[in-house]
Amino acid sequence: MQQWRKLGLIIQPDRRLPWTQTHCMVPTPQVLGDGLVKVFFSGRDALNRSHVGHAIVDLNRDGQIVDYPSAAVLTPGALGCFDDNGVTPSCVVDLPDGELGLYYIGWNPGSTVRMHIFGGLAISKDQGKTFERWSRAPILERTRTDPYLNTAPWVVRHGDGYRIFYVSGYEWLHKDLPRYNIKTGYSRDGKNWVREGHVCLDFRDENEHALARPYVVLEDGLWRMWFSYKRADYRIGYAESSDGLHWERLDHLAGIDVSLSGFDSAMTEYAAIVKHDGRHFMFYNGNNYGFDGIGLAVSE
């Protein structure tokens, strides 16, 4: 079992900036090298709309911030599009032709249900300095096998293509409470996806109603997934797979739980793990979906 030593909050909302009045939600790392990590996240403006920005932190100094740019790199989409009420990052990955793909969650208010959320893609041709939408439509839309929400894409380069893990709606219990689990699909180019409704991680029981933000790595032939699961409040779970398709939940090996007090005393969720200098570092959110910011933990 990995045991994580918490280092506390490292990235917090900068209320001097209009796009991050509250929250630093869903930490999404891009490893730069020499211990430097660009962490994308979404802050919320005064109208509670999410925007994607980033901070650069130094893992050699317990996650100390070395840069926190004032401008967001992705803002809400055009009126009527799937992301017109907010954007939240979920994955950053290298694509062909030197492109960097920022996969993200697009937010849109609902009517009969509280919200609609679908996965989108923005592309950078300058290694993450600026991004442009690949399409104003989602890359994860409703399909015959996925008729509800489809979002939080996590993409892994595998073989001669890409595998995607994403959150997919199972049902709505009522207007404000969806149930969703984690499915998988594949792509040749990282942009156009084949999805056949394959559930790779499912609920433990009927009291569990959310499996969120898969974060997947392939290490020495073993697929490892950190994810969030929810009954009353979110906790961080863990699973393993030999083929990336069939997974065993091993939540007791996650090695991290809520604290007795502070920003993560009620919830832990949205884990993202990177490796540096022989150690693993976990970026994660706490109470109220990252209202106070992003925490960091280290595993020896």
Side-chain angles (χ1 to χ4, degrees):
M1 176 188 292
Q2 279 186 309
Q3 288 294 331
W4 299 91
R5 176 169 57 90
K6 296 179 178 180
L7 301 177
L9 280 171
I10 59 166
I11 304 174
Q12 300 180 60
D14 186 342
R15 292 179 175 82
R16 297 171 298 178
L17 306 177
W19 60 271
T20 178
Q21 294 296 292
T22 65
H23 293 79
C24 296
M25 185 176 171
V26 189
T28 302
Q30 177 192 11
V31 175
L32 302 179
D34 297 325
L36 296 179
V37 180
K38 180 184 289 187
V39 183
F40 294 90
F41 59 89
S42 67
R44 299 189 193 179
D45 64 18
L47 298 177
N48 205 37
R49 299 174 304 181
S50 296
H51 304 242
V52 177
H54 72 268
I56 297 177
V57 302
D58 188 350
L59 297 181
N60 296 308
R61 294 186 283 172
D62 290 341
Q64 181 175 325
I65 293 175
V66 297
D67 190 24
Y68 195 140
S70 60
V73 297
L74 194 68
T75 57
L79 183 64
C81 286
F82 78 101
D83 55 358
D84 66 359
N85 201 51
V87 288
T88 295
S90 62
C91 181
V92 177
V93 67
D94 290 324
L95 296 175
D97 302 321
E99 294 180 338
L100 183 70
L102 171 62
Y103 297 87
Y104 68 93
I105 301 163
W107 299 86
N108 185 262
S111 55
T112 56
V113 293
R114 176 168 56 92
M115 62 183 179
H116 301 292
I117 47 177
F118 296 99
L121 172 62
I123 298 292
S124 174
K125 298 181 183 296
D126 54 15
Q127 283 302 298
K129 294 179 182 178
T130 60
F131 288 89
E132 292 186 7
R133 284 171 172 80
W134 178 69
S135 170
R136 290 191 295 174
I139 61 165
L140 296 179
E141 202 16 311
R142 296 179 178 94
T143 68
R144 182 173 177 271
T145 60
D146 299 349
Y148 300 103
L149 59 88
N150 297 282
T151 192
W154 180 260
V155 175
V156 179
R157 185 74 181 263
H158 187 235
D160 59 355
Y162 298 84
R163 179 152 293 281
I164 193 169
F165 303 87
Y166 62 100
V167 169
S168 182
Y170 179 80
E171 63 182 343
W172 283 83
L173 296 176
H174 54 72
K175 179 177 180 177
D176 294 316
L177 186 59
R179 294 187 80 205
Y180 39 87
N181 53 19
I182 295 173
K183 293 183 180 179
T184 188
Y186 64 93
S187 170
R188 293 293 185 187
D189 60 5
K191 298 172 181 176
N192 300 283
W193 296 93
V194 176
R195 294 180 285 144
E196 298 172 341
H198 179 83
V199 177
C200 61
L201 207 65
D202 211 351
F203 312 108
R204 280 199 182 277
D205 53 50
E206 63 183 13
N207 296 317
E208 194 170 73
H209 55 84
L211 301 180
R213 206 292 170 87
Y215 189 98
V216 181
V217 296
L218 178 59
E219 293 182 340
D220 301 323
L222 178 67
W223 294 81
R224 309 177 71 194
M225 179 191 299
W226 287 265
F227 61 96
S228 304
Y229 64 93
K230 187 176 183 182
R231 287 183 169 85
D233 292 300
Y234 268 124
R235 297 290 187 273
I236 293 170
Y238 176 74
E240 292 181 351
S241 171
S242 60
D243 60 7
L245 297 174
H246 306 91
W247 291 79
E248 180 183 8
R249 283 186 63 169
L250 302 165
D251 296 346
H252 63 287
L253 299 183
I256 191 168
D257 205 344
V258 295
S259 300
L260 294 177
S261 62
F263 81 98
D264 60 354
S265 60
M267 298 170 61
T268 55
E269 71 281 346
Y270 309 145
I273 288 80
V274 300
K275 192 173 183 179
H276 170 64
D277 198 23
R279 300 185 295 171
H280 287 86
F281 292 83
M282 176 190 286
F283 302 93
Y284 71 99
N285 285 140
N287 305 344
N288 193 15
Y289 312 99
F291 180 89
D292 295 305
I294 296 169
L296 182 65
V298 61
S299 173
E300 308 296 347

